[in-house]
Amino acid sequence: MASSSSSGLTFKLHPLVIVNISDHYTRVKSQLNLPPSLTSTSSAATSNNNNNNSNGGENNQQKPPRVYGCVIGVQRGRTVEIFNSFELIYDPSTRSLDRSFLEKKQELYKKVFPHFYVLGWYSTGSDAQESDMHFHKALMDINESPLYVLLNPAINPAQKDLPVTIYESELHVIDGVPQLIFVRSSYTIETVEAERISVDHVAHLKPSGGSAATQLAAQLTGIHSAIKMLNSRIRVVHQYLVGMQKGDIPCESSLLRQVSSLLRRLPAIESEKFQDDLLMEYKDTLLITYLAMFTNCSSTMNELVDKFNTAYDRHSRRGGRTAFI
Amino acid sequence: MEIEEKQAEVIDHFVKQVSAQKGSALGSVFVEATSHPSLFAFSEILAVPTVAELEGTDNSVHLEMLRLFAHGTWSDYKRNSGKFPQLVPDQVLKLKQLTVLTLAETKKVLSYDQLMRELDVTNVRELEDFLINDCMYAGLVRGKLDQLQRYFEVQFAAGRDLRPGQLGSMIQTLSNWLATSDNLLVTIQDKIKWADTMSELDKKHRKELEDRVMEVKKAVSVKEGWSCEREFFNSSKNA
């Protein structure tokens, strides 16, 4: 069902779409309010999807809900850019699509974004299924060749790339009968400045209003992970070169040239000017901190003296009805 | 990198030409290759077996010239100009560009005087024109020209063909880089732990202070109750 596409279209996906789909799925799943399972062993299985009906007797529906919706965007020539998405009401058992809702939503979006067209639809799950073809065909009257964006909500810590796949439909002749099947296509993620800021924000989720120390820790953690990634990439290049030296890998001069030009950029920061600037900034920061500390101390001292004077004021007002502590 | 991509097709073209011909015909192919404006890499051509056969024959001057373009500089050429055939102006330009690349290998900051010496250029204007037009616009180097201090600061320089011994030193540099970044990672982790510990200590300290303040407050309010009563006694006695 999922061979690679040959239509030659390039797809660009905006992160807003992915966030929308995952938000939709999370909302529906939490609203369904899956009942807690009664046996202890299946509590771990509850979080796993894909028909884990370990309690045969109970009516615990372990299968996660599938959500459906529409994706909209712009198609310029051979580039298809998916900007936004919205939800649709679809009942997979009766295969009925709420047309009026779809049309109303389309009209509303058309008013705000006049350039966006319905490019296809989305759903959640682990793989494209036969039943999806019906929805696909239903959308074909709006867009002759709709896209199918599939998000896999299962969290796989080993997976490095996004669990999003884009399928196109192609007409293949199978057993003498022309049939539409889904073929996978590759895509790239494209961001606008505003999206980049929000994605960055989500990536740096930390306890809000943290004290200075946690902010420092968060910033250092960011630098730490960046350097770790750099480290792993350099390690790969290093192993490649060692292999080339031993003769396991045939020498490829153009790569060697690129590596040598890269290494020529090191040492990146060793000049005297850098040291001078660094020391100057360091001293400035220390000076400011010192000054701030001074001000703090002197104001605390001032308060203390005032309190002392108020409390132990014996020289004025002797013998009055003041409270002696 | 863009230069490598631009060169890839040209390299393929010349490799095919070189493998198709033999002997003295290769000489003319070499001249063509070395004058080509976008070709700066010759090790692939050197690796073709028909080229290696030229070693020791009458046409070895052409092989030497190709090797000069792969690894040598303009001063090498001037010193041993007898060994090499005469170069056409295009080749002279190419060799000078490659010389700049070699100089950029060793130092990041190249002084104008050194550049003028190595490239046989007499005035600064010519030097800067050469650097800007022939090196930077060709994409070979990227950097800043400082005319007041007469320095050329190299930020990026394309790679030249590798001499056989350079691979070892490259691996050494890479392992040093790896070691430094590992140390840096460990240091950062220690700093993070330090920051967390310090914030813990700070919180504890604050809590202790608050507790003591509460205690003192309670003690004060109890004592005040006593002393107020005594006050009333005294005043009532006096009155």
Side-chain angles (χ1 to χ4, degrees), chain A residues 24-45:
Chain A
H24 185 193
Y25 173 75
T26 320
R27 244 184 302 127
V28 170
K29 186 160 172 207
S30 57
Q31 278 168 2
L32 265 195
N33 209 358
L34 292 173
S37 51
L38 297 180
T39 60
S40 54
T41 48
S42 57
S43 57

Side-chain angles (χ1 to χ4, degrees), chain A residues 231 254 257-258 261 264-265, chain B residues 4 41 105 157 161 178 182:
Chain A
N231 200 346
S254 92
R257 278 194 293 272
Q258 288 183 4
S261 101
R264 222 116 10 100
R265 294 190 77 160
Chain B
E4 294 297 328
E105 249 177 61
D161 297 312
L178 274 180
D182 283 331

Side-chain angles (χ1 to χ4, degrees), chain A residues 142-157:
Chain A
I142 306 182
N143 183 333
E144 329 75 56
S145 162
L147 302 170
Y148 175 30
V149 180
L150 180 70
L151 175 82
N152 186 358
I155 304 174
N156 187 354

Side-chain angles (χ1 to χ4, degrees), chain B residues 83-102:
Chain B
K83 275 194 357 182
F84 305 113
Q86 193 61 356
L87 294 183
V88 294
D90 278 340
Q91 289 177 308
V92 169
L93 180 66
K94 171 73 58 78
L95 193 54
K96 289 192 178 173
Q97 285 171 316
L98 292 172
T99 312
V100 172
L101 283 183
T102 317

